């Protein structure tokens, strides 16, 4: 049985990926520092799969802790999610973001090099494209200057991995996620935003649940059919499965070059108002919303060209937007 390390494995995408790894027959080892996750997620993973992953509470920006882990564990691959991810906060605390997101990455790669470990999957973001000049966005679209220190950690992270692949023969894949939403169909795991949600779907579900009074739709004067901004919302379970596909590509040595990037989205864009309507329809809830000013830093539209991911990873999305929204709602109503 191949043993896969999932860093940040108690987080939103990490926990769903841990489940899919177990379902696919991998042995999962999770590292998490619990800075933005709860230990009970471990138990909730095992409720779904019947197996509790091995867990280590480790702070990856502490090199001695990273070294100690690798001294005692041999692994066949790493899926690296552990990172700070709040765009706004990163503008206020750039050094914390660089220390955490870049430091942890460098220490992991050093251990992989020194111990001759291989197969690294990196959690990257469509944010590297900024407002792309052409839609849908292909992997060849130019990288735009990062809008935030968070976004910059993803760009620099990809470069660090690419340099390491070149110098040390590491094989790696960066997955550029579009907008992950939804939850596991069992509602045992899902997204747990801290405080007031910044992302659309948690704000929508919390508003429908009465936790927030009203959803603000940020701007209806964009150059889009209904004036609201367009994104590519992908079900987190489909996204999780893309990691298994990428891992299998590396493990079976099917990769074309030793550093590859793939877009992971649905290929379909939805506007904020389309999301509101789809949520209302899928859940039979009325959503209280109003149009307000644009949010600073938001782009008009982003959705993926998934041709390369579909072909090379032999992966495609299986779930609909409605299923994603319904699963997010089921998760929301399962809280408290
Ligand atoms: C989606 C749309 C908002 C909240 C995300 C991640 C970011 C990066 C890229 C990872 C936008 C609108 C939102 C609300 C709204 N991912 N909106 N009212 O901005 O695409 O960024 O993907 O690297 O980290 O956050 O996602 O969910 O914040 O917004 O109208 O209360 O919904 O303006 O058009 P975004 P989002």
């Amino acid at each position: 049985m191949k043993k896969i390390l999932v860093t940040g494995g108690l987080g939103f995408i990490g926990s769903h990926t841990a489940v899919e790894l177990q379902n696919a027959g991998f042995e999962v080892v999770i590292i998490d520092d619990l800075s933005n996750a709860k230990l009970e997620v471990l138990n909730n993973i095992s409720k779904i799969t019947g197996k509790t992953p091995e867990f280590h509470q480790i702070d990856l920006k502490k090199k001695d802790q990273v070294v100690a882990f690798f001294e005692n564990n041999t692994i066949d691959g790493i899926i690296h999610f552990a990172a700070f991810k709040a765009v706004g906060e990163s503008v206020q605390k750039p050094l914390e973001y660089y220390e955490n997101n870049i430091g942890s990455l460098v220490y992991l790669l050093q251990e992989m090099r020194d111990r001759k470990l291989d197969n690294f999957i990196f959690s990257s973001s469509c944010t590297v494209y900024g407002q792309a000049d052409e839609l849908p966005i292909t992997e060849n679209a130019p990288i735009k200057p990062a809008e935030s220190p968070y976004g910059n950690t993803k760009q620099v992270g990809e470069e660090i991995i690419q340099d390491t692949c070149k110098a040390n023969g590491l094989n790696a894949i960066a997955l550029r996620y579009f907008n992950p939403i939804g939850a596991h169909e069992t509602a045992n795991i899902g997204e747990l935003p801290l405080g007031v949600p910044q992302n659309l779907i948690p704000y929508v579900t919390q508003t429908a649940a009465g936790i927030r009074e009203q959803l603000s739709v940020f701007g209806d004067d964009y150059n889009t059919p209904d004036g609201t901004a367009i994104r590519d919302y992908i079900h987190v379970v489909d996204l999780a499965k893309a990691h298994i596909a990428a891992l299998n590509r590396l493990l079976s040595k099917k990769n074309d070059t030793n550093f590859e990037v793939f877009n992971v989205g649905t290929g379909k864009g939805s506007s904020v108002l389309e999301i509101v309507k789809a949520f209302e329809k899928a859940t039979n809830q009325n959503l209280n919303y109003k149009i307000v000013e644009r949010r600073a830093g938001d782009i008009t539209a982003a959705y993926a060209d998934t041709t390369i991911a579909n072909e090379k990873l032999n992966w495609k999305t299986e779930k609909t937007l409605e299923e994603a929204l319904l699963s997010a709602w089921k998760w929301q109503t399962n809280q408290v």
Side-chain angles (χ1 to χ4, degrees):
M1 212 183 203
K2 300 267 188 211
K3 196 166 169 180
I4 306 301
L5 170 61
V6 182
T7 75
L10 298 185
F12 175 41
I13 308 172
S15 58
H16 289 83
T17 302
V19 166
E20 295 309 322
L21 280 167
Q22 289 185 323
N23 286 343
F26 291 99
E27 185 181 343
V28 175
V29 184
I30 288 177
I31 286 181
D32 204 297
D33 67 357
L34 301 180
S35 64
N36 190 18
K38 294 194 175 139
L39 191 53
E40 67 200 44
V41 173
L42 196 63
N43 198 24
N44 295 336
I45 291 171
S46 65
K47 278 188 202 156
I48 299 172
T49 62
K51 281 168 281 184
T52 309
E54 185 180 322
F55 174 68
H56 300 261
Q57 185 175 349
I58 285 175
D59 181 347
L60 292 171
K61 63 181 176 297
K62 305 248 167 71
K63 189 174 167 75
D64 56 332
Q65 293 188 19
V66 181
V67 172
F69 171 82
F70 283 96
E71 260 163 19
N72 297 310
N73 292 276
T74 304
I75 48 146
D76 299 294
I78 300 181
I79 307 183
H80 180 44
F81 294 103
F84 293 158
K85 61 172 184 179
V87 178
E89 182 186 62
S90 78
V91 178
Q92 310 301 324
K93 301 181 177 174
L95 294 177
E96 280 81 354
Y97 271 67
Y98 288 118
E99 180 189 34
N100 190 52
N101 294 7
I102 302 297
S104 60
L105 174 64
V106 170
Y107 297 151
L108 283 173
L109 292 173
Q110 284 174 334
E111 291 309 302
M112 293 187 83
R113 176 197 60 195
D114 295 349
R115 297 171 196 279
K116 305 206 177 340
L117 302 176
D118 200 4
N119 308 315
F120 190 79
I121 314 278
F122 181 60
S123 184
S124 189
S125 169
C126 68
T127 194
V128 302
Y129 300 119
Q131 179 57 68
D133 303 321
E134 283 171 44
L135 294 169
I137 303 172
T138 71
E139 287 82 352
N140 295 321
I143 302 296
K144 297 276 174 71
E147 296 268 352
S148 68
Y150 162 76
N152 207 27
T153 65
K154 294 298 173 190
Q155 291 193 6
V156 174
E158 284 194 10
E159 289 169 5
I160 290 170
I161 297 163
Q162 188 166 24
D163 290 344
T164 308
C165 288
K166 221 183 277 174
N168 304 109
L170 176 76
N171 290 283
I173 290 177
L175 297 179
R176 292 176 178 162
Y177 313 153
F178 283 68
N179 291 53
I181 62 165
H184 195 267
E185 60 183 2
T186 60
N188 282 313
I189 54 172
E191 195 171 3
L192 278 172
L194 282 181
V196 181
Q198 303 301 310
N199 295 116
L200 179 62
I201 304 308
Y203 211 105
V204 164
T205 59
Q206 289 197 8
T207 305
I211 301 167
R212 311 281 156 207
E213 207 183 313
Q214 190 171 51
L215 169 73
S216 296
V217 173
F218 297 135
D220 69 348
D221 56 352
Y222 285 101
N223 183 19
T224 62
D226 67 18
T228 62
I230 291 176
R231 299 287 185 274
D232 183 338
Y233 298 92
I234 177 171
H235 196 304
V236 64
V237 172
D238 279 332
L239 174 58
K241 287 178 178 167
H243 294 78
I244 316 307
L247 181 67
N248 282 331
R249 182 171 171 85
L250 292 180
L251 289 171
S252 59
K253 305 201 179 306
K254 295 221 172 81
N255 45 325
D256 295 331
T257 56
N258 61 356
F259 178 70
E260 296 179 315
V261 300
F262 297 106
N263 285 344
V264 188
T266 66
K268 187 179 169 298
S270 304
S271 74
V272 179
L273 283 181
E274 283 172 340
I275 292 292
V276 168
K277 298 296 165 212
F279 178 83
E280 289 184 327
K281 193 163 169 229
T283 64
N284 218 8
Q285 297 291 311
N286 266 326
L287 201 62
N288 182 22
Y289 73 90
K290 73 164 183 223
I291 311 285
V292 302
E293 290 293 293
R294 290 182 182 196
R295 181 172 69 178
D298 272 350
I299 55 169
T300 301
Y303 50 95
D305 185 323
T306 60
T307 313
I308 297 181
N310 295 158
E311 278 174 15
K312 304 238 174 193
L313 295 179
N314 196 18
W315 161 92
K316 62 177 171 43
T317 53
E318 290 164 359
K319 296 186 181 282
T320 63
L321 178 64
E322 288 67 28
E323 285 174 281
L325 294 170
L326 201 53
S327 70
W329 177 237
K330 190 173 168 193
W331 164 250
Q332 178 69 57
T333 53
N334 214 27
Q335 302 308 298
V336 212

